[in-house]
Amino acid sequence: MSDRPKSPLQPSTAVIHGNRVWEKQSNSIIFPIHQTATYVHETVGVTKGFGYSRGGNPTVQALEQAIASLEGTEDALCFRSGMAAITTLCMALLKAGDHVLLSEVIYGGTVRLFRQVLGNFGIAYDFVDTSDVNAVAKAFREDTRLVFIETPANPTLKLSDVAGLAALVHEHGALLAVDHTFLTPLLQDCLKLGADISMLSTTKYIDGHNATIGGSLATHDMEQLERLRLVRKTMGTIATPFDAWLTLQGLKTLPARMEIHCRNAAEIAAWLEGHARVSGVNYPGLDSFAQKALAEKQQSGFGGMLSFELEADTQETLKFIDSLKLSTCAESLGSVETLITNPATASHCDLTAEERAHLGVTDGLIRLSVGLESPKDLIADFEQAFTAVFG
């Protein structure tokens, strides 16, 4: 198993120059889009590294090398979506009869994958409060092969102790995979904390401009990575060249963007916490956040995501969202625009009312992905929406 240290370059330099590949034919400073399905073979079975774009593509590889530089790994793999990455991960590492433990607060698409797809293939699973290491220990079974966590969790921002869980999982001979899309490796180095696999929805902060759909997986275990590569090729879940090219451009500004996201989110969270119509704010940077100490321990920043509880019913909550002019109602996150949604009626609508209540995904919970706009303008927009709905 390789444990290659991260690039000696600072993040803002590494995302531009780390593992950078130059285009040789024209000396273009931007790596080109290799929009091709196939490649010329020197002779039957002999290629210059690429044979068919379902298996690999130069533009996709350039993005993979850039993400690997960010993750501190020898290589990484990119996929058509975050869900394609998770699906490939499960199909590559699990078989019928295996058992998986998942964070109980997790992206709704991951819940659907296990409940409506993987369960049909004999893969058992249980949802557990992964913020409690003891609860995870009690949930382990002899056939548990994978623990898949999301931290911070979507949409409550609940945290899981990556290092603590890694020690437990490895003690049982299983693997720990972490979806840390909300933070990226810039703010949370889950592989250094002991996780086996890092998963990202590159659609979000990595791209940062709402231009693409994509996902990535990174690990220090090259044998594991090759297994993932084989299954990706077989399933056809590789990223497309154009999406990879756009994501590669977005990645170059990630450190600068994340700094502003964090600063703006902290200001918005503090303001919301003091509003009479808000009963609670979930943001790891607030002193009121129950797990702030853990955030300070395993994160280098608090991120640009927050959620808050509006003292309102579903109809009033949706009316409040519709009244906003600068915060755009959308299910995605991590872009330059501030995005807002009501998880109970959007990303987590497949859960029963009882399940949502147990997880804290109430009708009045609003998730906010704070963008790069001026916090002053965003706050003014919130003020007018509060007035429009509640007087």
Side-chain angles (χ1 to χ4, degrees), residues 11 29 80 99 104 143-144 185 195 221 237 252 271 322 359 363:
I29 195 167
R80 287 181 179 266
H99 177 248
E104 63 177 8
D143 55 358
T144 302
D221 189 332
T237 53
K252 294 174 184 178
W271 180 82
D322 289 342
L359 301 178
D363 292 343

Side-chain angles (χ1 to χ4, degrees), residues 1 6 18 29 63 66 75 107 127 133-134 151 158 173 207 214 230 253 258 301 314 321 341:
M1 180 178 292
K6 286 204 172 196
I29 195 167
L63 175 61
D75 205 351
Y107 173 56
F127 295 95
V133 177
N134 291 328
T151 185
K158 199 171 190 178
D207 171 309
L230 170 67
T253 61
M258 289 304 291
T314 300
I321 291 174
T341 189

Side-chain angles (χ1 to χ4, degrees), residues 124-137:
Y125 59 91
D126 285 301
F127 295 95
V128 63
D129 181 3
T130 54
S131 70
D132 183 347
V133 177
N134 291 328
V136 177

Side-chain angles (χ1 to χ4, degrees), residues 190-366:
C190 67
L191 295 178
K192 188 175 182 179
L193 289 167
D196 299 286
I197 301 161
S198 163
M199 179 269 160
L200 298 168
S201 171
T202 60
T203 308
K204 314 304 193 296
Y205 287 105
I206 301 298
D207 171 309
H209 296 80
N210 282 327
T212 67
I213 298 290
S216 69
L217 294 172
T219 176
H220 288 301
D221 189 332
M222 290 300 104
E223 183 178 341
Q224 196 175 84
L225 194 79
E226 289 310 309
R227 170 65 180 168
L228 291 166
R229 192 189 307 276
L230 170 67
V231 174
R232 182 185 69 172
K233 176 181 178 180
T234 305
M235 294 176 62
T237 53
I238 190 172
T240 65
F242 186 53
D243 282 355
W245 183 82
L246 284 172
T247 305
L248 195 56
Q249 310 319 311
L251 180 61
K252 294 174 184 178
T253 61
L254 177 64
R257 286 187 283 109
M258 289 304 291
E259 184 176 340
I260 302 172
H261 283 302
C262 291
R263 185 170 64 243
N264 289 358
E267 187 171 340
I268 299 295
W271 180 82
L272 284 169
E273 192 172 43
H275 199 281
R277 277 285 175 178
V278 176
S279 60
V281 179
N282 301 312
Y283 184 66
L286 293 174
D287 290 338
S288 59
F289 190 75
Q291 296 176 294
K292 186 181 180 183
L294 177 58
E296 292 174 330
K297 175 185 174 185
Q298 68 182 19
Q299 301 172 201
S300 58
F302 298 121
M305 295 298 302
L306 63 90
S307 60
F308 61 97
E309 190 74 37
L310 200 63
E311 290 191 348
D313 58 26
T314 300
Q315 188 173 4
E316 290 173 324
T317 299
L318 297 181
K319 185 178 179 182
F320 173 79
I321 291 174
D322 289 342
S323 298
L324 293 166
K325 296 178 172 60
L326 295 180
S327 296
T328 305
C329 182
E331 288 192 38
S332 194
L333 59 100
S335 68
V336 295
E337 302 93 352
T338 293
L339 302 179
I340 193 166
T341 189
N342 173 234
T345 56
S347 61
H348 290 67
C349 63
D350 286 349
L351 302 182
T352 66
E354 292 75 17
E355 287 173 326
R356 291 197 299 271
H358 171 70
L359 301 178
V361 184
T362 63
D363 292 343
L365 186 71
I366 292 176

